[in-house]
Amino acid sequence: MNTLIELLASILLVAGGIFAFIGSLGMAHLKDFYMRLHGPTKVSTLGVGCILIASMTYFWGLHGTPSIQEMLITLFLFITAPVSAHMLSKTGLHMKLERADKTGGNPRELREEGSDNPAAPPDKDVVADNDD
């Protein structure tokens, strides 16, 4: 029985490591803010979730009782990651951050009024003058 639990925990650890690596790689190499947002918020969250589930499985098999703390950490991780991703993307849209040509979608926040074309990003010199 312990071998089966250790095998399951090992598979989850390897999967979690692969997901975390892919998420980090995406954050480092994707072209703009909106693309980079997917790496840490989706793939890395899945990786950390796999590692936490592997830990829960291993210690549940070792001690015979589930760890409530690890269950709560996993639950809060999966609840807070999409909320934080949504807040970051809304902030990016509000600040009208530049998008790469490959970034899909045409959000309402980036369109000029009465047009289907994206709005031009704010002039950085104007923003710098307003800070004085």
Side-chain angles (χ1 to χ4, degrees):
M1 184 69 176
N2 282 340
T3 304
L4 184 63
I5 290 172
E6 289 174 359
L7 180 66
L8 179 63
S10 300
I11 291 170
L12 285 169
L13 282 174
V14 170
I18 290 171
F19 283 127
F21 176 72
I22 291 171
S24 301
L25 198 63
M27 189 170 76
H29 288 283
L30 290 176
K31 297 196 183 292
D32 67 0
F33 172 78
Y34 303 104
M35 289 182 184
R36 283 186 213 127
L37 193 60
H38 290 281
T41 58
K42 293 185 176 142
V43 184
S44 294
T45 300
L46 186 60
V48 172
C50 283
I51 292 170
L52 283 168
I53 292 171
S55 176
M56 273 190 304
T57 304
Y58 179 75
F59 285 110
W60 192 350
L62 192 67
H63 299 296
T65 57
S67 171
I68 299 298
Q69 291 90 355
E70 288 177 327
M71 284 184 194
L72 288 174
I73 290 170
T74 306
L75 178 71
F76 289 134
L77 175 75
F78 286 127
I79 289 173
T80 57
V83 173
S84 64
H86 179 74
M87 298 296 284
L88 284 170
S89 65
K90 292 296 277 185
T91 302
L93 289 173
H94 180 71
M95 294 180 68
K96 298 184 190 270
L97 295 178
E98 290 185 34
R99 300 185 302 162
D101 293 335
K102 289 184 176 181
T103 302
N106 190 12
R108 178 175 38 96
E109 290 86 355
L110 294 180
R111 282 184 244 152
E112 293 176 1
E113 289 188 31
S115 171
D116 288 336
N117 296 328
D123 190 11
K124 293 181 180 171
D125 295 333
V126 173
V127 173
D129 290 341
N130 290 338
D131 291 340
D132 292 334

